[in-house]
Amino acid sequence: MVRSYQMTATFDLNSATSVTSYRNYKSVNAPWWKALDRLGYILILWWIIALSTTYFNHLIFAMLSWSVALAILWLWFGRWRHYSCRPVSINSGNLADLLDFDAIEYLLGAQELAQTKRVPIDAAILWLALNNIQGGKYFLVRADLISPESYSSKLANYWQNNKNPTGSWPIELISVLTSQQSSTGKVTLTQLLGGLVASFKLWQDILGLKKLEIKDAQSILRWFDKYVSMSRKVHFWQTETVEGGIGRDWSYGYTPTLLNYGRDLTTASANLKNLEVHGHTKEVLRLEQVITKSADSNALLAGDHGVGKKTIVYALSKKILHGQVAAALWHKHIWEIDTGHILASAGAKGEVEARLKAILDEAVSAGDIILFIDDIHTLLSRREKTGAINATEIMMPYLRRSGIQIIGTTTLEQFHSDIEANTGLAQSFEKIDVAEPPKDEVVYVLEDVIPFFESRHNVIFTFPAVKETVNVADRYIHEKP
């Protein structure tokens, strides 16, 4: 089952070194293998106990010692088999060695399916093989194509009109792998499936039954990558650590007010491993540029509710955590102030202002803190109303000094009524307009939040449903983004 391509490389799945590694990997991760490993550890534990007690007679101890010796040999053999599963060089002349284990499992399943049906390996067999692997099932469920009856007529027409030479792999598959030959790393399952979607007209016709295009299939595959990343177990030694500034903790001592009414977004962002900003990359960069300046480094994100103002701040905090910002921000921490807590828990007159001033003083003393105040207009209101105060006179001295930086968010309506009307206050902030993301980007935003609702309500959202939801919302909902 070998097919040459441009006389430079071959594709032989059965003789590929990576396939041998895959089979070793499957064997050492089989349930029976793991059960024997556990038995070996138990025998070693019993042997250690026997050394420290006289409960066992000599015969039992000798038998246990021989068993432990065999267990150690077995465990050593298992470590060697694990080592033999390491990835092989992608410079091999066999294109099959470019594949990662998930992609190998997929193609081996397609090969077995073709042998069972006694048909050649073609686009239809490769499509049906999606039902045999986790990534393929995920793709079919998200595309609302889990039922074979929905596309059986397409497969029948394809087999009737197309014939592939027996025993050969489709040239489209070879072309996808050849295009990846110069890239670094292994060809993943999602990369392989993405290439096949773009190459096989049959796949595109089947997706067209649900009004899905090639770019939609790519979105579903990217969605699967996120799912795998979120479900992967992370050990405690693999978690991210933060090495930020020490001002708040050591240099200036205890900061009780800041601790009571705020939280460190930079530290919390270590848990937001799948946070992505869609449609607002420029705004994140602009925010970073503003707060990096030596003077006038206060930023105000202005936009309608729900356009992603807080997400922009969260994205910047994660960039700070990873050191992907300018040197001036390397040891900064963004602290979000809970204005609702400050306002709701106040009793006597002037207590809110006193708390706010204490927070600002502690942030200045720490020297490494950027304050983030969501809905900052509630602290700068020019009109008497419930849930809002006018603390402009308290905040103005801090906005004009270089020892503190403040990021605020507000709506366009509140900006014009409460902030823009005060010239001095407006000049203390660098205004960054945040618009509603494009319709195509909204789908990506929903990809991040849908898993939460699926887990909470035990439902599944297919990609056609998500796409139609965005289209209908864009057509009929205009009051809010």
Side-chain angles (χ1 to χ4, degrees):
M1 300 179 69
V2 180
R3 185 179 182 90
S4 296
Y5 185 78
Q6 293 184 352
M7 304 300 293
T8 58
T10 60
F11 183 79
D12 189 344
L13 189 63
N14 293 326
S15 64
T17 307
S18 59
V19 174
T20 303
S21 299
Y22 165 76
R23 291 188 171 120
N24 289 339
Y25 169 81
K26 294 294 288 185
S27 64
V28 298
N29 286 279
W32 64 268
W33 190 293
K34 293 182 177 180
L36 287 176
D37 281 350
R38 294 190 184 96
L39 178 60
Y41 289 124
I42 292 174
L43 287 173
I44 293 173
L45 178 62
W46 274 103
W47 183 75
I48 294 174
I49 295 174
L51 286 176
S52 58
T53 182
T54 58
Y55 179 77
F56 299 96
N57 60 41
H58 294 290
L59 178 61
I60 295 178
F61 183 76
M63 294 175 60
L64 186 59
S65 298
W66 278 105
S67 300
V68 167
L70 292 175
I72 292 174
L73 287 174
W74 171 260
L75 293 173
W76 176 86
F77 176 70
R79 294 306 94 194
W80 175 81
R81 289 295 298 270
H82 272 287
Y83 176 76
S84 68
C85 299
R86 69 192 187 283
V88 298
S89 172
I90 64 171
N91 295 323
S92 167
N94 190 347
L95 291 173
D97 284 331
L98 295 172
L99 302 168
D100 73 353
F101 287 166
D102 290 332
I104 290 173
E105 181 182 11
Y106 166 60
L107 293 183
L108 286 175
Q111 181 176 266
E112 183 180 350
L113 179 63
Q115 293 172 350
T116 302
K117 291 182 173 291
R118 297 183 179 180
V119 296
I121 304 173
D122 54 17
I125 288 295
L126 289 171
W127 176 271
L128 290 174
L130 292 174
N131 290 282
N132 299 329
I133 56 172
Q134 180 190 21
K137 291 178 181 177
Y138 186 95
F139 179 82
L140 294 174
V141 169
R142 288 296 185 195
D144 196 18
L145 291 167
I146 193 62
S147 173
E149 289 77 13
S150 60
Y151 51 81
S152 58
S153 59
K154 291 287 184 181
L155 298 181
N157 291 336
Y158 174 82
W159 275 320
Q160 183 177 0
N161 300 325
N162 295 272
K163 300 297 181 182
N164 196 42
T166 303
S168 66
W169 291 90
I171 191 64
E172 293 86 353
L173 171 64
I174 310 298
S175 300
V176 170
L177 293 178
T178 304
S179 66
Q180 298 284 340
Q181 204 168 3
S182 59
S183 62
T184 58
K186 292 286 189 178
V187 178
T188 65
L189 175 64
T190 53
Q191 289 174 330
L192 178 62
L193 295 182
L196 295 181
V197 168
S199 302
F200 285 135
K201 186 178 184 303
L202 171 65
W203 288 32
Q204 297 168 19
D205 291 341
I206 294 176
L207 291 170
L209 296 173
K210 299 298 181 179
K211 299 180 180 180
L212 297 177
E213 304 174 2
I214 295 177
K215 64 177 183 179
D216 299 325
Q218 302 286 0
S219 296
I220 296 174
L221 294 172
R222 185 178 59 252
W223 206 346
F224 174 70
D225 283 337
K226 292 181 182 178
Y227 165 77
V228 172
S229 177
M230 292 173 63
S231 5
R232 184 179 294 117
K233 182 179 180 180
V234 179
H235 300 285
F236 72 90
W237 60 83
Q238 297 173 315
T239 56
E240 298 178 84
T241 56
V242 182
E243 295 182 359
I246 61 174
R248 186 192 65 78
D249 295 323
W250 292 355
S251 298
Y252 295 93
Y254 188 44
T255 54
T257 314
L258 187 61
L259 286 169
N260 191 27
Y261 297 105
R263 69 183 182 114
D264 188 353
L265 290 185
T266 306
T267 303
S269 63
N271 299 320
L272 303 175
K273 62 178 181 178
N274 293 292
L275 174 68
E276 294 186 27
V277 177
H278 302 288
H280 292 314
T281 305
K282 293 181 179 178
E283 287 82 354
V284 175
L285 180 60
R286 180 59 184 151
L287 178 59
E288 179 185 344
Q289 292 171 344
V290 170
I291 64 174
T292 305
K293 295 191 300 183
S294 57
D296 300 326
S297 56
N298 303 303
L300 185 64
L301 301 172
D304 293 329
H305 289 294
V307 296
K309 300 187 294 293
K310 289 185 69 172
T311 304
I312 292 173
V313 181
Y314 291 162
L316 178 61
S317 67
K318 188 159 189 177
K319 288 184 67 176
I320 294 175
L321 173 72
H322 292 159
Q324 299 170 344
V325 291
L329 301 178
W330 279 353
H331 296 294
K332 294 284 188 177
H333 284 250
I334 299 179
W335 274 71
E336 181 180 12
I337 304 305
D338 188 352
T339 54
H341 186 196
I342 294 176
L343 295 172
S345 60
K349 184 178 180 180
E351 189 173 350
V352 173
E353 290 80 354
R355 290 174 180 173
L356 181 60
K357 189 175 187 306
I359 290 172
L360 294 169
D361 286 336
E362 291 172 1
V364 171
S365 298
D368 65 343
I369 290 176
I370 301 170
L371 291 182
F372 167 48
I373 306 176
D374 191 27
D375 291 334
I376 196 172
H377 52 264
T378 58
L379 301 179
L380 305 172
S381 177
R382 300 175 64 245
R383 294 167 292 179
E384 293 289 339
K385 56 184 178 181
T386 305
I389 64 169
N390 188 354
T392 305
E393 294 184 1
I394 296 175
M395 294 189 64
M396 282 299 293
Y398 296 93
L399 292 170
R400 290 172 177 169
R401 64 193 300 177
S402 58
I404 188 174
Q405 296 152 299
I406 297 177
I407 301 173
T409 66
T410 187
T411 63
L412 294 173
E413 179 183 357
Q414 296 295 335
F415 172 77
H416 293 309
S417 63
D418 293 329
I419 298 175
E420 189 179 38
N422 188 328
T423 305
L425 181 61
Q427 291 177 348
S428 300
F429 288 100
E430 185 80 24
K431 179 170 171 280
I432 301 175
D433 292 315
V434 182
E436 178 183 353
K439 186 169 68 172
D440 292 342
E441 297 285 345
V442 174
V443 175
Y444 303 147
V445 175
L446 293 177
E447 287 178 8
D448 293 337
V449 299
I450 279 177
F452 167 76
F453 291 101
E454 289 181 329
S455 174
R456 183 174 182 178
H457 301 287
N458 196 26
V459 295
I460 295 177
F461 292 91
T462 63
F463 194 87
V466 174
K467 189 177 178 182
E468 185 63 19
T469 299
V470 174
N471 291 332
V472 172
D474 181 65
R475 183 184 307 170
Y476 296 110
I477 303 177
H478 301 289
E479 291 77 11
K480 292 184 178 182

